[in-house]
Amino acid sequence: DQQVKQNSPSLSVQEGRISILNCDYTNSMFDYFLWYKKYPAEGPTFLISISSIKDKNEDGRFTVFLNKSAKHLSLHIVPSQPGDSAVYFCAARPTSGTYKYIFGTGTRLKVLA
Amino acid sequence: EPEVTQTPSHQVTQMGQEVILRCVPISNHLYFYWYRQILGQKVEFLVSFYNNEISEKSEIFDDQFSVERPDGSNFTLKIRSTKLEDSAMYFCASGSRTGSTGELFFGEGSRLTVL
């Protein structure tokens, strides 16, 4: 019953290039999608979110794209920096009926200097 | 900047012992959560708390687990009789459902090691 999926467990990217992290969801009853970044032994840190009524949100080097017809969202980081190396989780907030934010399994990004 | 704080950062306990993990959520938030992450695995939802009661809980959150907001600021997770498989990082989070960006704010986590 996993409703949020990140199919790539890891990704390596050269410094300065674009990192693209992907996430798929199986349920349309979400009003927000979020990306979190997590370093080892630390709590997840909020990066960027997108409302389900939008298809793009940009914040500095981070852009999130939402394709509702494909039930797919992606996080673009450009240019990638070595400090971006972390595990990235996508999450979805249900519209109603439940307070549970659902997390994907995470993608470990490694930015190579 | 407001933040969620958790104590202790690391606790080691013997199997069968009771453990209480403490959290101070962001003061104007209304929704509180506990998540956990077993080493190398995904972040798993345990329980959500709103209006002084549990609003939702997962299958993991069995009778050995309880949550409380005893004084209007702290939010605690109690494990009555710990098992080896309870060893994990436990994250507290808080949020405001009416927040414009929808995010939950997480604490730094409490690492629980059950021997």
Side-chain angles (χ1 to χ4, degrees), chain A residues 28-64:
Chain A
S28 297
M29 304 302 288
F30 298 121
D31 63 355
Y32 272 98
F33 299 91
L34 309 97
W35 284 95
Y36 283 84
K37 175 179 177 180
K38 187 180 180 304
Y39 294 115
E42 293 185 12
T45 303
F46 170 74
L47 264 181
I48 190 169
S49 66
I50 186 166
S51 165
S52 61
I53 63 172
K54 296 188 175 180
D55 53 23
K56 179 182 174 182
N57 188 27
E58 191 171 352
D59 184 3
R61 296 187 297 115
F62 302 93
T63 304
V64 57

mmCIF file of all heavy atoms in Angstrom, chain A residues 28-64:
data_model
loop_
_atom_site.group_PDB
_atom_site.id
_atom_site.type_symbol
_atom_site.label_atom_id
_atom_site.label_comp_id
_atom_site.label_asym_id
_atom_site.label_seq_id
_atom_site.Cartn_x
_atom_site.Cartn_y
_atom_site.Cartn_z
ATOM 1 N N SER A 28 -4.620 10.263 -5.795
ATOM 2 C CA SER A 28 -4.779 11.664 -6.181
ATOM 3 C C SER A 28 -5.255 12.555 -5.039
ATOM 4 O O SER A 28 -5.438 13.747 -5.225
ATOM 5 C CB SER A 28 -5.773 11.757 -7.337
ATOM 6 O OG SER A 28 -5.274 11.084 -8.452
ATOM 7 N N MET A 29 -5.447 11.983 -3.858
ATOM 8 C CA MET A 29 -6.038 12.760 -2.773
ATOM 9 C C MET A 29 -4.984 13.436 -1.904
ATOM 10 O O MET A 29 -5.002 13.341 -0.695
ATOM 11 C CB MET A 29 -6.928 11.850 -1.917
ATOM 12 C CG MET A 29 -7.995 11.148 -2.688
ATOM 13 S SD MET A 29 -9.091 12.307 -3.541
ATOM 14 C CE MET A 29 -9.989 12.963 -2.151
ATOM 15 N N PHE A 30 -4.050 14.107 -2.569
ATOM 16 C CA PHE A 30 -3.018 14.859 -1.860
ATOM 17 C C PHE A 30 -3.127 16.324 -2.250
ATOM 18 O O PHE A 30 -3.380 16.633 -3.421
ATOM 19 C CB PHE A 30 -1.619 14.343 -2.222
ATOM 20 C CG PHE A 30 -1.360 12.909 -1.840
ATOM 21 C CD1 PHE A 30 -1.014 11.980 -2.807
ATOM 22 C CD2 PHE A 30 -1.444 12.503 -0.521
ATOM 23 C CE1 PHE A 30 -0.755 10.655 -2.468
ATOM 24 C CE2 PHE A 30 -1.194 11.192 -0.170
ATOM 25 C CZ PHE A 30 -0.853 10.262 -1.145
ATOM 26 N N ASP A 31 -2.930 17.233 -1.287
ATOM 27 C CA ASP A 31 -2.996 18.647 -1.653
ATOM 28 C C ASP A 31 -1.623 19.307 -1.703
ATOM 29 O O ASP A 31 -1.468 20.360 -2.320
ATOM 30 C CB ASP A 31 -3.952 19.422 -0.738
ATOM 31 C CG ASP A 31 -3.512 19.437 0.722
ATOM 32 O OD1 ASP A 31 -2.514 18.774 1.068
ATOM 33 O OD2 ASP A 31 -4.188 20.116 1.518
ATOM 34 N N TYR A 32 -0.629 18.701 -1.073
ATOM 35 C CA TYR A 32 0.724 19.236 -1.139
ATOM 36 C C TYR A 32 1.701 18.079 -1.322
ATOM 37 O O TYR A 32 1.520 16.985 -0.759
ATOM 38 C CB TYR A 32 1.100 19.990 0.144
ATOM 39 C CG TYR A 32 0.715 21.443 0.130
ATOM 40 C CD1 TYR A 32 -0.459 21.868 0.741
ATOM 41 C CD2 TYR A 32 1.520 22.389 -0.495
ATOM 42 C CE1 TYR A 32 -0.814 23.195 0.730
ATOM 43 C CE2 TYR A 32 1.162 23.736 -0.506
ATOM 44 C CZ TYR A 32 -0.004 24.125 0.110
ATOM 45 O OH TYR A 32 -0.364 25.442 0.096
ATOM 46 N N PHE A 33 2.734 18.365 -2.088
ATOM 47 C CA PHE A 33 3.857 17.450 -2.220
ATOM 48 C C PHE A 33 5.104 18.194 -1.744
ATOM 49 O O PHE A 33 5.265 19.382 -2.023
ATOM 50 C CB PHE A 33 4.026 16.993 -3.669
ATOM 51 C CG PHE A 33 2.821 16.252 -4.175
ATOM 52 C CD1 PHE A 33 1.794 16.929 -4.810
ATOM 53 C CD2 PHE A 33 2.703 14.876 -3.995
ATOM 54 C CE1 PHE A 33 0.672 16.256 -5.267
ATOM 55 C CE2 PHE A 33 1.582 14.194 -4.450
ATOM 56 C CZ PHE A 33 0.560 14.890 -5.082
ATOM 57 N N LEU A 34 5.948 17.489 -1.022
ATOM 58 C CA LEU A 34 7.081 18.138 -0.381
ATOM 59 C C LEU A 34 8.350 17.341 -0.639
ATOM 60 O O LEU A 34 8.311 16.123 -0.820
ATOM 61 C CB LEU A 34 6.843 18.214 1.139
ATOM 62 C CG LEU A 34 5.505 18.812 1.595
ATOM 63 C CD1 LEU A 34 4.479 17.717 1.890
ATOM 64 C CD2 LEU A 34 5.704 19.654 2.827
ATOM 65 N N TRP A 35 9.460 18.054 -0.629
ATOM 66 C CA TRP A 35 10.771 17.409 -0.677
ATOM 67 C C TRP A 35 11.535 17.755 0.593
ATOM 68 O O TRP A 35 11.575 18.918 1.022
ATOM 69 C CB TRP A 35 11.571 17.872 -1.892
ATOM 70 C CG TRP A 35 11.106 17.239 -3.170
ATOM 71 C CD1 TRP A 35 10.227 17.748 -4.078
ATOM 72 C CD2 TRP A 35 11.498 15.954 -3.682
ATOM 73 N NE1 TRP A 35 10.047 16.876 -5.122
ATOM 74 C CE2 TRP A 35 10.811 15.764 -4.902
ATOM 75 C CE3 TRP A 35 12.364 14.952 -3.230
ATOM 76 C CZ2 TRP A 35 10.962 14.614 -5.678
ATOM 77 C CZ3 TRP A 35 12.524 13.805 -4.008
ATOM 78 C CH2 TRP A 35 11.825 13.651 -5.209
ATOM 79 N N TYR A 36 12.129 16.709 1.172
ATOM 80 C CA TYR A 36 12.953 16.864 2.355
ATOM 81 C C TYR A 36 14.341 16.337 2.058
ATOM 82 O O TYR A 36 14.519 15.390 1.295
ATOM 83 C CB TYR A 36 12.365 16.076 3.538
ATOM 84 C CG TYR A 36 11.170 16.733 4.190
ATOM 85 C CD1 TYR A 36 9.890 16.568 3.675
ATOM 86 C CD2 TYR A 36 11.321 17.519 5.323
ATOM 87 C CE1 TYR A 36 8.797 17.170 4.275
ATOM 88 C CE2 TYR A 36 10.234 18.122 5.928
ATOM 89 C CZ TYR A 36 8.979 17.946 5.392
ATOM 90 O OH TYR A 36 7.898 18.550 5.991
ATOM 91 N N LYS A 37 15.294 16.946 2.714
ATOM 92 C CA LYS A 37 16.698 16.548 2.600
ATOM 93 C C LYS A 37 17.123 16.023 3.961
ATOM 94 O O LYS A 37 16.762 16.614 5.000
ATOM 95 C CB LYS A 37 17.512 17.776 2.220
ATOM 96 C CG LYS A 37 19.003 17.624 2.158
ATOM 97 C CD LYS A 37 19.575 18.978 1.734
ATOM 98 C CE LYS A 37 21.069 18.976 1.701
ATOM 99 N NZ LYS A 37 21.599 20.303 1.289
ATOM 100 N N LYS A 38 17.871 14.941 3.979
ATOM 101 C CA LYS A 38 18.275 14.366 5.257
ATOM 102 C C LYS A 38 19.736 13.954 5.237
ATOM 103 O O LYS A 38 20.167 13.173 4.383
ATOM 104 C CB LYS A 38 17.386 13.162 5.593
ATOM 105 C CG LYS A 38 17.631 12.622 6.995
ATOM 106 C CD LYS A 38 16.748 11.440 7.274
ATOM 107 C CE LYS A 38 17.020 10.914 8.681
ATOM 108 N NZ LYS A 38 18.445 10.576 8.913
ATOM 109 N N TYR A 39 20.476 14.505 6.205
ATOM 110 C CA TYR A 39 21.840 14.070 6.438
ATOM 111 C C TYR A 39 21.812 12.946 7.478
ATOM 112 O O TYR A 39 20.876 12.859 8.288
ATOM 113 C CB TYR A 39 22.693 15.217 6.946
ATOM 114 C CG TYR A 39 22.913 16.332 5.953
ATOM 115 C CD1 TYR A 39 22.403 17.605 6.184
ATOM 116 C CD2 TYR A 39 23.631 16.117 4.781
ATOM 117 C CE1 TYR A 39 22.612 18.631 5.280
ATOM 118 C CE2 TYR A 39 23.834 17.147 3.860
ATOM 119 C CZ TYR A 39 23.320 18.393 4.118
ATOM 120 O OH TYR A 39 23.515 19.409 3.224
ATOM 121 N N PRO A 40 22.833 12.100 7.500
ATOM 122 C CA PRO A 40 22.879 11.027 8.498
ATOM 123 C C PRO A 40 22.756 11.563 9.919
ATOM 124 O O PRO A 40 23.329 12.598 10.242
ATOM 125 C CB PRO A 40 24.255 10.395 8.261
ATOM 126 C CG PRO A 40 24.592 10.723 6.858
ATOM 127 C CD PRO A 40 23.999 12.069 6.591
ATOM 128 N N ALA A 41 21.998 10.892 10.735
ATOM 129 C CA ALA A 41 21.836 11.216 12.161
ATOM 130 C C ALA A 41 21.230 12.595 12.393
ATOM 131 O O ALA A 41 21.388 13.179 13.468
ATOM 132 C CB ALA A 41 23.164 11.085 12.910
ATOM 133 N N GLU A 42 20.544 13.139 11.394
ATOM 134 C CA GLU A 42 19.822 14.392 11.577
ATOM 135 C C GLU A 42 18.383 14.216 11.137
ATOM 136 O O GLU A 42 18.046 13.267 10.427
ATOM 137 C CB GLU A 42 20.460 15.521 10.770
ATOM 138 C CG GLU A 42 21.835 15.918 11.244
ATOM 139 C CD GLU A 42 22.364 17.127 10.490
ATOM 140 O OE1 GLU A 42 21.586 17.785 9.772
ATOM 141 O OE2 GLU A 42 23.563 17.411 10.630
ATOM 142 N N GLY A 43 17.526 15.145 11.556
ATOM 143 C CA GLY A 43 16.144 15.081 11.123
ATOM 144 C C GLY A 43 15.984 15.570 9.699
ATOM 145 O O GLY A 43 16.817 16.313 9.183
ATOM 146 N N PRO A 44 14.909 15.149 9.020
ATOM 147 C CA PRO A 44 14.641 15.665 7.678
ATOM 148 C C PRO A 44 14.449 17.178 7.707
ATOM 149 O O PRO A 44 13.794 17.708 8.603
ATOM 150 C CB PRO A 44 13.336 14.954 7.284
ATOM 151 C CG PRO A 44 13.252 13.751 8.169
ATOM 152 C CD PRO A 44 13.894 14.151 9.453
ATOM 153 N N THR A 45 15.015 17.839 6.727
ATOM 154 C CA THR A 45 14.901 19.290 6.607
ATOM 155 C C THR A 45 14.056 19.619 5.389
ATOM 156 O O THR A 45 14.349 19.145 4.290
ATOM 157 C CB THR A 45 16.294 19.929 6.456
ATOM 158 O OG1 THR A 45 17.096 19.553 7.565
ATOM 159 C CG2 THR A 45 16.195 21.442 6.388
ATOM 160 N N PHE A 46 13.052 20.444 5.596
ATOM 161 C CA PHE A 46 12.174 20.826 4.502
ATOM 162 C C PHE A 46 12.957 21.626 3.452
ATOM 163 O O PHE A 46 13.726 22.537 3.769
ATOM 164 C CB PHE A 46 11.018 21.661 5.039
ATOM 165 C CG PHE A 46 10.174 22.301 3.979
ATOM 166 C CD1 PHE A 46 9.304 21.535 3.237
ATOM 167 C CD2 PHE A 46 10.262 23.658 3.720
ATOM 168 C CE1 PHE A 46 8.520 22.109 2.257
ATOM 169 C CE2 PHE A 46 9.492 24.247 2.749
ATOM 170 C CZ PHE A 46 8.619 23.475 2.018
ATOM 171 N N LEU A 47 12.729 21.270 2.187
ATOM 172 C CA LEU A 47 13.393 21.957 1.086
ATOM 173 C C LEU A 47 12.431 22.837 0.310
ATOM 174 O O LEU A 47 12.617 24.026 0.160
ATOM 175 C CB LEU A 47 13.947 20.916 0.111
ATOM 176 C CG LEU A 47 15.399 20.510 0.234
ATOM 177 C CD1 LEU A 47 15.716 19.493 -0.854
ATOM 178 C CD2 LEU A 47 16.331 21.703 0.127
ATOM 179 N N ILE A 48 11.417 22.204 -0.236
ATOM 180 C CA ILE A 48 10.506 22.901 -1.130
ATOM 181 C C ILE A 48 9.229 22.084 -1.241
ATOM 182 O O ILE A 48 9.237 20.866 -1.064
ATOM 183 C CB ILE A 48 11.160 23.098 -2.521
ATOM 184 C CG1 ILE A 48 10.335 24.030 -3.403
ATOM 185 C CG2 ILE A 48 11.401 21.757 -3.218
ATOM 186 C CD1 ILE A 48 11.069 24.468 -4.678
ATOM 187 N N SER A 49 8.125 22.767 -1.490
ATOM 188 C CA SER A 49 6.862 22.052 -1.666
ATOM 189 C C SER A 49 6.120 22.616 -2.868
ATOM 190 O O SER A 49 6.496 23.656 -3.421
ATOM 191 C CB SER A 49 5.991 22.163 -0.411
ATOM 192 O OG SER A 49 5.575 23.510 -0.220
ATOM 193 N N ILE A 50 5.091 21.897 -3.258
ATOM 194 C CA ILE A 50 4.250 22.363 -4.351
ATOM 195 C C ILE A 50 2.809 21.994 -4.056
ATOM 196 O O ILE A 50 2.518 20.871 -3.599
ATOM 197 C CB ILE A 50 4.730 21.792 -5.701
ATOM 198 C CG1 ILE A 50 3.944 22.410 -6.856
ATOM 199 C CG2 ILE A 50 4.620 20.269 -5.737
ATOM 200 C CD1 ILE A 50 4.567 22.159 -8.222
ATOM 201 N N SER A 51 1.948 22.935 -4.282
ATOM 202 C CA SER A 51 0.525 22.677 -4.136
ATOM 203 C C SER A 51 0.052 21.834 -5.315
ATOM 204 O O SER A 51 0.575 21.939 -6.429
ATOM 205 C CB SER A 51 -0.238 24.000 -4.105
ATOM 206 O OG SER A 51 -1.606 23.796 -4.312
ATOM 207 N N SER A 52 -0.968 21.019 -5.078
ATOM 208 C CA SER A 52 -1.477 20.164 -6.145
ATOM 209 C C SER A 52 -2.145 20.948 -7.267
ATOM 210 O O SER A 52 -2.421 20.392 -8.337
ATOM 211 C CB SER A 52 -2.470 19.145 -5.569
ATOM 212 O OG SER A 52 -3.562 19.821 -4.977
ATOM 213 N N ILE A 53 -2.389 22.230 -7.058
ATOM 214 C CA ILE A 53 -3.018 23.029 -8.109
ATOM 215 C C ILE A 53 -1.982 23.704 -9.019
ATOM 216 O O ILE A 53 -2.341 24.383 -9.974
ATOM 217 C CB ILE A 53 -3.973 24.090 -7.527
ATOM 218 C CG1 ILE A 53 -3.216 25.099 -6.660
ATOM 219 C CG2 ILE A 53 -5.091 23.427 -6.746
ATOM 220 C CD1 ILE A 53 -4.077 26.265 -6.212
ATOM 221 N N LYS A 54 -0.708 23.507 -8.697
ATOM 222 C CA LYS A 54 0.348 24.095 -9.511
ATOM 223 C C LYS A 54 1.126 23.001 -10.228
ATOM 224 O O LYS A 54 0.999 21.812 -9.902
ATOM 225 C CB LYS A 54 1.284 24.917 -8.626
ATOM 226 C CG LYS A 54 0.604 26.106 -7.987
ATOM 227 C CD LYS A 54 1.614 26.991 -7.293
ATOM 228 C CE LYS A 54 0.934 28.244 -6.757
ATOM 229 N NZ LYS A 54 1.884 29.142 -6.071
ATOM 230 N N ASP A 55 1.946 23.410 -11.202
ATOM 231 C CA ASP A 55 2.794 22.415 -11.863
ATOM 232 C C ASP A 55 4.281 22.706 -11.714
ATOM 233 O O ASP A 55 5.114 21.894 -12.126
ATOM 234 C CB ASP A 55 2.405 22.258 -13.338
ATOM 235 C CG ASP A 55 2.379 23.582 -14.066
ATOM 236 O OD1 ASP A 55 3.042 24.527 -13.613
ATOM 237 O OD2 ASP A 55 1.672 23.675 -15.092
ATOM 238 N N LYS A 56 4.594 23.838 -11.103
ATOM 239 C CA LYS A 56 6.011 24.172 -10.928
ATOM 240 C C LYS A 56 6.154 25.123 -9.752
ATOM 241 O O LYS A 56 5.336 26.026 -9.555
ATOM 242 C CB LYS A 56 6.535 24.829 -12.208
ATOM 243 C CG LYS A 56 7.994 25.263 -12.155
ATOM 244 C CD LYS A 56 8.389 25.935 -13.461
ATOM 245 C CE LYS A 56 9.789 26.502 -13.387
ATOM 246 N NZ LYS A 56 10.177 27.201 -14.643
ATOM 247 N N ASN A 57 7.218 24.890 -8.981
ATOM 248 C CA ASN A 57 7.580 25.834 -7.938
ATOM 249 C C ASN A 57 9.097 25.911 -7.871
ATOM 250 O O ASN A 57 9.776 24.878 -7.911
ATOM 251 C CB ASN A 57 7.005 25.409 -6.573
ATOM 252 C CG ASN A 57 7.200 26.478 -5.516
ATOM 253 O OD1 ASN A 57 7.294 27.665 -5.831
ATOM 254 N ND2 ASN A 57 7.270 26.064 -4.261
ATOM 255 N N GLU A 58 9.596 27.125 -7.785
ATOM 256 C CA GLU A 58 11.035 27.320 -7.866
ATOM 257 C C GLU A 58 11.512 28.107 -6.649
ATOM 258 O O GLU A 58 10.865 29.055 -6.208
ATOM 259 C CB GLU A 58 11.343 28.109 -9.143
ATOM 260 C CG GLU A 58 12.788 28.190 -9.526
ATOM 261 C CD GLU A 58 12.963 28.802 -10.923
ATOM 262 O OE1 GLU A 58 11.944 29.012 -11.609
ATOM 263 O OE2 GLU A 58 14.103 29.070 -11.302
ATOM 264 N N ASP A 59 12.659 27.689 -6.117
ATOM 265 C CA ASP A 59 13.258 28.392 -4.989
ATOM 266 C C ASP A 59 14.768 28.280 -5.121
ATOM 267 O O ASP A 59 15.370 27.261 -4.753
ATOM 268 C CB ASP A 59 12.781 27.789 -3.665
ATOM 269 C CG ASP A 59 13.314 28.552 -2.455
ATOM 270 O OD1 ASP A 59 14.005 29.580 -2.646
ATOM 271 O OD2 ASP A 59 13.033 28.124 -1.324
ATOM 272 N N GLY A 60 15.360 29.311 -5.679
ATOM 273 C CA GLY A 60 16.808 29.299 -5.858
ATOM 274 C C GLY A 60 17.240 28.192 -6.806
ATOM 275 O O GLY A 60 16.762 28.102 -7.935
ATOM 276 N N ARG A 61 18.106 27.335 -6.319
ATOM 277 C CA ARG A 61 18.619 26.244 -7.167
ATOM 278 C C ARG A 61 17.650 25.070 -7.273
ATOM 279 O O ARG A 61 17.908 24.125 -8.015
ATOM 280 C CB ARG A 61 19.952 25.749 -6.600
ATOM 281 C CG ARG A 61 21.080 26.772 -6.618
ATOM 282 C CD ARG A 61 22.414 26.155 -6.187
ATOM 283 N NE ARG A 61 22.391 25.658 -4.816
ATOM 284 C CZ ARG A 61 22.521 24.380 -4.486
ATOM 285 N NH1 ARG A 61 22.687 23.454 -5.425
ATOM 286 N NH2 ARG A 61 22.506 24.015 -3.216
ATOM 287 N N PHE A 62 16.575 25.117 -6.509
ATOM 288 C CA PHE A 62 15.645 23.987 -6.425
ATOM 289 C C PHE A 62 14.340 24.307 -7.145
ATOM 290 O O PHE A 62 13.745 25.363 -6.930
ATOM 291 C CB PHE A 62 15.347 23.659 -4.953
ATOM 292 C CG PHE A 62 16.571 23.339 -4.148
ATOM 293 C CD1 PHE A 62 17.239 24.320 -3.434
ATOM 294 C CD2 PHE A 62 17.066 22.049 -4.116
ATOM 295 C CE1 PHE A 62 18.381 24.020 -2.698
ATOM 296 C CE2 PHE A 62 18.204 21.736 -3.389
ATOM 297 C CZ PHE A 62 18.865 22.731 -2.684
ATOM 298 N N THR A 63 13.935 23.380 -7.998
ATOM 299 C CA THR A 63 12.658 23.508 -8.700
ATOM 300 C C THR A 63 11.932 22.178 -8.592
ATOM 301 O O THR A 63 12.540 21.124 -8.818
ATOM 302 C CB THR A 63 12.851 23.860 -10.174
ATOM 303 O OG1 THR A 63 13.623 25.059 -10.274
ATOM 304 C CG2 THR A 63 11.515 24.067 -10.862
ATOM 305 N N VAL A 64 10.661 22.241 -8.241
ATOM 306 C CA VAL A 64 9.855 21.033 -8.208
ATOM 307 C C VAL A 64 8.810 21.134 -9.310
ATOM 308 O O VAL A 64 8.187 22.178 -9.501
ATOM 309 C CB VAL A 64 9.230 20.788 -6.814
ATOM 310 C CG1 VAL A 64 8.390 21.953 -6.359
ATOM 311 C CG2 VAL A 64 8.410 19.519 -6.805
#
